[in-house]
Amino acid sequence: MAEKKRIVSGMRPTGALHLGNLHGALANWINMQDDYDCFFFIADWHALTSDYEDPGNIAGFSQDMMTDWLGAGLNPEKSTLFVQSAVKAHAELFLLLAMITPVPWLERNPTYKEQIEALNNKDLSTFGFLGYPVLQAADIIIYRANGVPVGIDQAPHIEITREIARRFNYLYGKVFPEPETILTETSKILGLDRRKMSKSYNNAIFLSESPEDIRKKTAQMITDPQRIRKTDPGDPDVCNVFTFHRFYSPAGTVAEIDAACRKAEIGCVECKKKMADYLVGYLAPIREKIQYFRQNRGMVLDIIENGNKKASIEAETTMARVREALKI
Ligand code: TRP
Ligand code: SF4
């Protein structure tokens, strides 16, 4: 059998995960576990690039996120699951890559200016924040990855990663493959208020949400904004509740609701209740597994420690070649 291609991807620690995280990234990672040699990690140093003034509880958030990863189906027997800050070699490679990365590449990075504007309550005029993509490049190429599954928002960072890898290889001899971007479709699941689902917008449904809270939250969801009265025909194509049906309800139900909504034969209250039933069913086994790992925190810590060890061994193998190439 041909050797599996290696992929690397990371998430900043945000604590408990929601449906947007699941369908935007995690579900895709879970699906890739059999076909690729997977390295998935929690990017806790990256969290510090924007949250350095108030690091809060990054370690706690990392553990909570790993718990949700495991509950949703990432499997430590298949994938290497670890925490960035535990593998110090990322920092060493980051430093070495910084020597060869032209500053204009970083200043041109579209996410750099966007983020500085979007997070205007934070002072992001730091060296660390400018260097965000250099650290990300180190995260990826230290495992000699062939591909990186990410959403479109991260594509510029993978482009910079490729450029940095190419420059290193050109200057010192070929050590790194140039990793491909494996584009993940961005999640079509919106929050309860139809904005992007986000913990900070308070519009999220979490993977560990109780059936009771799922029902309460779905009852609050904004539907087709043009549909005022139950007698008005609705348009499922613009309704976020219908998008949820597509994800969680059987095909027959989806088709029935599509037709009934357009003819005003179903009200939104009933439609939401139906959807909530299927969502509760969908999340039940995930929630159960999350609860199990929450009650067995020692297991989560062991899984992280094992993953950290496996990742460190791989990272050190690469670093030996890097030091040799640089004669340092
Ligand atoms: N920047 C990524 C994000 O915000 C997280 C990340 C850090 C990452 N290092 C990575 C993703 C390496 C892929 C590969 O989502
Ligand atoms: Fe949306 Fe369902 Fe209401 Fe139609 S009936 S607008 S699909 S919630």
Side-chain angles (χ1 to χ4, degrees), residues 7 9 29 33 38-42 69 74 79-82 149:
I7 59 167
S9 198
W29 292 5
Q33 291 187 106
C38 298
F39 284 69
F40 297 127
F41 70 96
I42 294 169
W69 282 8
L74 280 184
S79 301
T80 305
L81 309 175
F82 65 103

Side-chain angles (χ1 to χ4, degrees), residues 8-10 12 41 43 46 132 136 139-140 148 150 154 157:
V8 173
S9 198
R12 279 175 293 182
F41 70 96
H46 275 108
Y132 188 111
Q136 186 160 346
D139 296 337
I140 296 164
V148 190
V150 285
Q154 292 295 313
H157 294 163

Side-chain angles (χ1 to χ4, degrees), residues 223-224 227 234-236 239 241-242 257 261 266-268 271-272:
T223 64
D224 169 1
R227 192 173 188 205
D235 181 0
C239 178
V241 176
F242 189 69
I257 287 180
C261 173
I266 184 172
C268 294
C271 182
K272 287 174 174 178

